Amino acid sequence: MSLSEFYNTHNGFKTRIVLNIRDSKRTVVGAAASALYLIKKREVVAIIGPGNSMQAPFLINLGNQSQVPIISFSASSPVLDSLRSPYFIRATHDDSSQVHAISAIIASFRWREVVPIYVDNEFGEGILPYLVDAFQEINVRIRYRSPISVHSSDDQVKKELYKLMTMPTRVFIVHMLPDLGLRLFSIAKEIGMMTKGYVWIVTNGIADLMSLMGQSSLENMHGVLGVKTYFSRSKELMYLETRWLKRFGGEELNNFECWAYDAATALAMSIEEISNVHMSFNKTKTNTSREDIGTDLDDLGVALSGPKILQALTTVSFKGVAGRFQLKNGKLEAKTFKIVNIEESGERTVGFWKSKVGLVKSLRVNQTGIKISHSSHRLRPIIWPGDTIFVPKGWEFPTNAKKLRIAVPKKDGFKHFVEVTKDANTNAPMITGLSIDVFDTAMRQMPYAVPYEYIPFETPDGKARGSYDEMVYHVFLGEFDGAVGDTTILANRSAYVDFALPYSETGIVVVVPVKDEREKGKWVFLKPLTKELWFLTAASFLYIGIMVWIFEYQENGDFRGQGIIDKISNVFYFSFSTLFFAHMRPSESIFTRVLVVVWCFVLLILTQSYTATLTSMLTVQELRPTVRHMDDLRKSGVNIGYQTGSFTFERLKQMGYKESRLKTYDTPQEMHELFLKTSSNGGIDAAFDEVAYVKLFMAKYCSKYSIIEPTFKADGFGFAFPLGSPLVPDISRQILNITEGETMKAIEKKWLLGEKYCLDSTTSDSPIRLDHHSFEALFTIVFVVSMLLLLAMLVSRRYRKRKRGEINAPPSPSRDDNMRAPTSPPNDDQVHEPPGPALNEADAPDAQDQLLNDEVNVGDRNEVDIIVEVDPTLVHRRNLITSKTIPTRRAVPFSRIKSS
């Protein structure tokens, strides 16, 4: 059909392909014999075949030796790439191209373990290495590989499936051809493996040939997911389907037939391209002796056109019925797969997988004709085995499975977390403790039943079998199925096991003794404030005194009349005495009053804070650690304690502490006794342990010890399981539910002695003192207010000077010449009378009394001449400060002189 259609539409081509058909009988030997016959007897220049991957290896080697291209549309096994023959053309998709689609499905549902079931031949084994690599990328474990031979009987298949039922994994990847696959699913349904909780995913080896299956086969595969090769609905494909239906009736066109159609077209185009090349064989005859009978391969010829045909095939490109035909590394590339859900009525598309995109619900075509994704990276609702829409969790404990062997540590101290004892009657081990209660609670809350039993990690005589690291390593070796106890999550341990989320507080701290350092001594009154704050306060007093001096000097005449010593003493007495009392005599300047109000507010806060801090220092007991920082321990060379068998021993050595200075303890009581001895008597001065243990220790000895800086990183206690265990995520979720609720508080209250913990067991490196940072805002306010007042005073002074200047300006000439000054300066002791009526003696005392009772705006000088207008014809002059008659300088109206 391909060649007929091609040459009908390409009448001008000079070449025509003549088909020589040989039936391989679906066997490897038949395929080899047919290929040898075609090359030797028919001298074909190319072979389209073989029919499957098992027949391909011999044909590939034969084609490589004779330089005859082998073009296969159905040999999809990746193993064939290992032959590295340039004359093998894969006009189909490699099976390895679908493994990323399968891994995307596994990752989207968060399944952690899978079991591949594959046919035991080249076709089935070829995909396994690629599956392993793809699953490793998403951290999925292949628990078991189940190969099934095509020659296996139903009983043998049933036995293998029963074996799988005893395993916890419930996700199966099936890679085989339909003939064996139909038998597999029929038996799986018979024994109950197509029920709720199971997951079956088939590769395109079965999914691409669903059209060959009958109704009964679909019923057996109800709920199966399939990865199917996707071809876009092009006009070329629809035209071929129409011709196919006319010729073969109801049989559906499958993918392999589409690839065969395109392979014949590609070969026809390549032959036309090298039409000028001579199509012949170069035959070489081998001389054989009578003893050497020889074989059919001895005189195998070489096709002279082979290299040219191969080159033309690698460059040909066209739009075929299966999409764009363009070889890359000798094969077609797969960029899209369709995800189908098999139901009794047939298959249903639930999504697609696109390279560089991943899983999408659907595809659409934009205006440029390019398929793009327009939905989230998920699939449509799926009907799972058992006719349920609930996603299976991917694993279950089988009903006949053995109990999990959970190791628990045997220890002598800190038994509140885990304790191993013997029953007095049965001598059976009894496991109790906080860690055990947390694990039991988590297992009871699991959505499925998990049988388990505790196995003490001890020797036959009841001693500890080893350290925590050794117990974890035995979980890795498979002796135990998990480890429960106060096992710290560490990086080196996570290389051997998987930990669930921690259930305890995290971190490692240093515990040291404390001592009462209540402030004592004759200089204790200086301790509440830091040196910086004392200096700042003293400077502020000086600053306030200077500002008061400036303000009072401008406004207070009495102040200006004092000596320099009196001025300084009065100003600073005024500034410092505001600490204790308010002055009865108000200041003369309004600016001084405003500044003093603000300063008194600052002093009120400062004195109250000082009083409170000093009281606390003299009366409250202050417990301070004997060591301030862990670096001080290294410098002083004191002994440090650690718990027996703890990883903190290695951590201390890594930090540079000498092993001879490290002492062990088993219980909180032993830890306390070592502290009492101190380093000088073989004891310790500090202990290095995890927060959970320190929390238990501090519950008993809270007032005697303290925690110092720094706190070191640790991930807390966790339960250990083998690498890849599916229990880990489920138990982690239950631990979150326990720790976030009230359950954890109840468990801690039960086991941690029921005592209250220290509210604040960590002390600071220095006593609490008031520093200048606490009062920066207050002192800033004082400074800003004083600067604003100073600015206001300068503006006011400038304004008054300008007003006086206007008053002191010389008068303009007038009709009254009596007010002009005399031409010669008069004597200060004389009174010059202007022309006019004389002043009566009786009037003079009244004028002088009035003058002395009037306030004068003094200005900037110590002496001011005042001219009082008694009547229009007489002027009196009097110096207010010296009480001496002085010459007239200027005259002002009496109304401008203020009352004094």
Side-chain angles (χ1 to χ4, degrees), residues 743-761:
T743 307
M744 193 66 190
K745 295 181 181 179
I747 295 175
E748 289 182 344
K749 184 177 180 181
K750 173 184 176 182
W751 289 103
L752 299 184
L753 304 178
E755 299 182 16
K756 296 182 179 179
Y757 303 116
C758 297
L759 295 180
D760 187 6
S761 59

Side-chain angles (χ1 to χ4, degrees), residues 533-640:
L533 185 56
W534 279 117
F535 290 140
L536 180 60
T537 304
S540 300
F541 277 115
L542 296 177
Y543 175 77
I544 293 298
I546 294 173
M547 296 305 295
V548 170
W549 186 337
I550 294 174
F551 294 149
E552 290 298 311
Y553 187 86
Q554 300 297 328
E555 301 292 341
N556 194 337
D558 293 340
F559 180 78
R560 287 195 303 272
Q562 297 175 356
I564 186 66
I565 301 299
D566 292 336
K567 290 179 181 180
I568 293 176
S569 62
N570 286 337
V571 164
F572 291 108
Y573 169 76
F574 181 85
S575 175
F576 281 90
S577 61
T578 52
L579 273 171
F580 313 104
F581 58 86
H583 293 271
M584 300 298 297
R585 178 183 177 184
S587 61
E588 298 294 336
S589 172
I590 183 63
F591 304 111
T592 302
R593 297 173 188 175
V594 174
L595 181 61
V596 169
V597 169
V598 176
W599 178 238
C600 288
F601 173 72
V602 174
L603 289 180
L604 175 64
I605 296 176
L606 184 62
T607 54
Q608 293 297 324
S609 302
Y610 172 85
T611 303
T613 305
L614 181 61
T615 303
S616 175
M617 287 183 172
L618 295 175
T619 60
V620 179
Q621 184 185 34
E622 293 189 5
L623 300 178
R624 299 181 187 171
T626 55
V627 179
R628 298 294 184 184
H629 198 275
M630 192 163 183
D631 291 339
D632 299 333
L633 296 174
R634 187 184 294 107
K635 297 175 182 178
S636 60
V638 297
N639 294 340
I640 300 177

Side-chain angles (χ1 to χ4, degrees), residues 450-463:
V450 182
Y452 62 93
E453 61 180 345
Y454 293 116
I455 307 296
F457 190 67
E458 62 181 3
T459 59
D461 58 353
K463 302 295 183 181

Side-chain angles (χ1 to χ4, degrees), residues 639-643 652 661-665 684 686-689:
N639 294 340
I640 300 177
Y642 69 93
Q643 191 178 162
L652 286 170
R661 290 292 184 180
L662 304 181
K663 306 294 182 179
T664 63
Y665 56 83
I684 59 174
F688 190 66
D689 215 333

Side-chain angles (χ1 to χ4, degrees), residues 156 187 222 263 630:
Q156 291 174 327
I187 298 173
H222 180 70
M630 192 163 183

